[in-house]
């Protein structure tokens, strides 16, 4: 692992690091905020998965998460959204290829060689973080925005017991029924739609839900509402009797201004859940 930068803020350190990834076969970059408490012991970890076109940097610099994470004594990791570099497949469209990994393990050419973002988050980066930093593997939570909200919800429900809580900002909530999903799943996973269901938060919620609390914030003036399909996820949460909160925020759009407005609530939500988890079982 290489240290690219480390900057002091709110009593802690915002670092940027790179490492060779076995999952993607490329060099990957991530941001990690460590609060002051990490100097003396292991701290809980919140994952923030970003959306289409983003790198590790967007949420790290725009979401405003560090101040509230410092207040609660939790770390926040900001992974990249796809493999990158020479020889990594790409597409001219913004919603496929580099910057648009969709947190799945691709099985189709030309993507299968590098686009294994599920394994990268679930296993590869996980090991780098817990082997290299003062983080409590038994206290993890996950959040994300848009494509990253889709990733956070699908990873949380697809890895039972790993995360104490999950939240999302304007997630792609029903990708098997949206052009933000059907296009990418066909490219990455193939035309057999039975392979898609493990990556659709609405279908996962209907099937078995999440074993902890859920928080979803959706902007009422989001310009991408038709692609996100939040109503499908809300209906599935009610049908499942899922422990959780779905909030429609009038007037808010899809931008980081929306995220920055409500990030304090999300970090407090996850801090409570990770405190209640007591450091046992959540990392199993």
């Amino acid at each position: 692992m290489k240290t690219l930068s480390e900057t002091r803020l709110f009593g802690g350190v915002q670092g940027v690091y790179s490492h060779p990834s076995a999952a993607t076969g490329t060099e990957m970059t991530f941001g990690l905020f460590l609060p002051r408490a990490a100097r003396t012991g292991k701290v809980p970890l919140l994952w923030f998965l970003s959306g289409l076109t983003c790198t590790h940097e967007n949420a790290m610099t725009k979401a405003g998460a560090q101040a509230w994470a410092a207040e609660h004594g939790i770390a926040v990791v900001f992974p990249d959204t796809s493999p990158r570099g020479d020889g990594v497949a790409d597409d001219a469209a913004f919603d496929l290829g580099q910057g648009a990994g969709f947190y799945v393990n691709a099985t189709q050419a030309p993507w299968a060689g590098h686009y294994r973002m599920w394994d990268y988050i679930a296993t590869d980066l996980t090991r780098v973080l817990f082997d290299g930093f003062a983080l409590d593997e038994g206290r993890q939570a996950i959040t994300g925005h848009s494509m990253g909200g889709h990733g956070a919800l699908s990873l949380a429900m697809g890895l039972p017991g790993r995360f104490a809580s999950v939240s999302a900002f304007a997630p792609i909530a029903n990708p098997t029924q949206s052009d933000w999903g059907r296009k990418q799943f066909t490219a990455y996973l193939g035309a057999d739609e039975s392979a898609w269901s493990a990556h659709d938060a609405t279908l996962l919620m209907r099937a078995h839900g999440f074993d902890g609390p859920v928080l979803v914030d959706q902007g009422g003036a989001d310009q991408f509402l038709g692609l996100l399909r939040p109503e499908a996820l809300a209906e599935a949460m009610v049908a499942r009797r899922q422990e959780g909160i779905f909030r429609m925020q009038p007037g808010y759009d899809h931008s980081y201004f929306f995220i920055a407005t409500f990030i304090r609530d999300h970090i407090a939500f996850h801090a409570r859940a990770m405190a209640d988890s007591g450091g046992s079982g959540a990392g199993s």
Side-chain angles (χ1 to χ4, degrees):
M1 185 176 64
K2 300 175 184 176
T3 299
L4 303 182
S5 66
E6 289 185 331
T7 305
R8 179 78 62 185
L9 77 167
F10 301 114
V13 174
Q14 176 63 63
V16 177
Y17 310 93
S18 68
H19 69 104
S21 167
T24 67
T26 65
E27 191 80 3
M28 296 293 289
T29 302
F30 66 93
L32 177 67
F33 172 72
L34 288 170
R36 183 194 304 270
R39 299 180 198 173
T40 55
K42 294 184 176 182
V43 297
L45 176 66
L46 174 63
W47 296 75
F48 191 109
L49 305 187
S50 290
L52 288 167
T53 75
C54 292
T55 68
H56 70 281
E57 191 173 23
N58 297 73
M60 186 182 80
T61 59
K62 295 180 180 180
Q66 293 91 338
W68 310 115
E71 183 175 291
H72 289 281
I74 66 176
V76 186
V77 62
F78 306 94
D80 202 348
T81 57
S82 78
R84 301 178 191 272
D86 294 340
V88 176
D90 200 5
D91 190 271
F94 76 94
D95 57 354
L96 187 67
Q98 295 187 34
F102 264 77
Y103 304 100
V104 302
N105 287 339
T107 60
Q108 307 298 303
W111 314 103
H114 298 291
Y115 283 75
R116 302 191 61 82
M117 289 302 294
W118 178 282
D119 282 353
Y120 177 68
I121 299 297
T123 303
D124 199 0
L125 181 54
T126 295
R127 289 273 53 85
V128 170
L129 290 168
F130 291 105
D131 288 348
F133 300 95
L135 302 169
D136 184 348
E137 192 167 1
R139 290 187 291 167
Q140 297 182 64
I142 191 165
T143 188
H145 171 230
S146 194
M147 179 185 73
H150 137 75
L153 290 163
S154 60
L155 280 154
M157 287 185 274
L159 299 171
R162 172 73 65 90
F163 301 105
S165 50
V166 59
S167 73
F169 299 87
I172 302 174
N174 192 196
T176 63
Q177 302 302 314
S178 168
D179 286 345
W180 274 0
R182 295 189 64 84
K183 171 185 175 179
Q184 294 81 6
F185 289 176
T186 300
Y188 294 144
L189 303 176
D192 181 359
E193 296 188 18
S194 66
W196 302 358
S197 59
H199 301 285
D200 186 306
T202 295
L203 299 182
L204 291 167
M205 183 61 68
R206 289 174 184 164
H208 53 74
F210 176 64
D211 54 350
V214 177
L215 172 61
V216 177
D217 271 317
Q218 173 62 61
D222 193 313
Q223 58 271 46
F224 303 114
L225 272 175
L227 293 165
L228 302 173
R229 292 182 51 80
E231 68 281 359
L233 178 60
E235 290 167 2
M237 288 175 66
V238 172
R240 172 53 53 183
R241 307 294 193 267
Q242 172 67 47
E243 176 189 1
I245 302 168
F246 183 99
R247 307 192 300 190
M248 186 65 74
Q249 302 291 1
Y252 285 90
D253 64 9
H254 199 69
S255 71
Y256 273 93
F257 296 117
F258 161 61
I259 298 171
T261 301
F262 299 105
I263 191 70
R264 179 182 186 180
D265 294 353
H266 284 242
I267 288 177
F269 165 80
H270 291 299
R272 288 192 298 271
M274 287 190 282
D276 291 343
S277 74
S280 61
S284 61

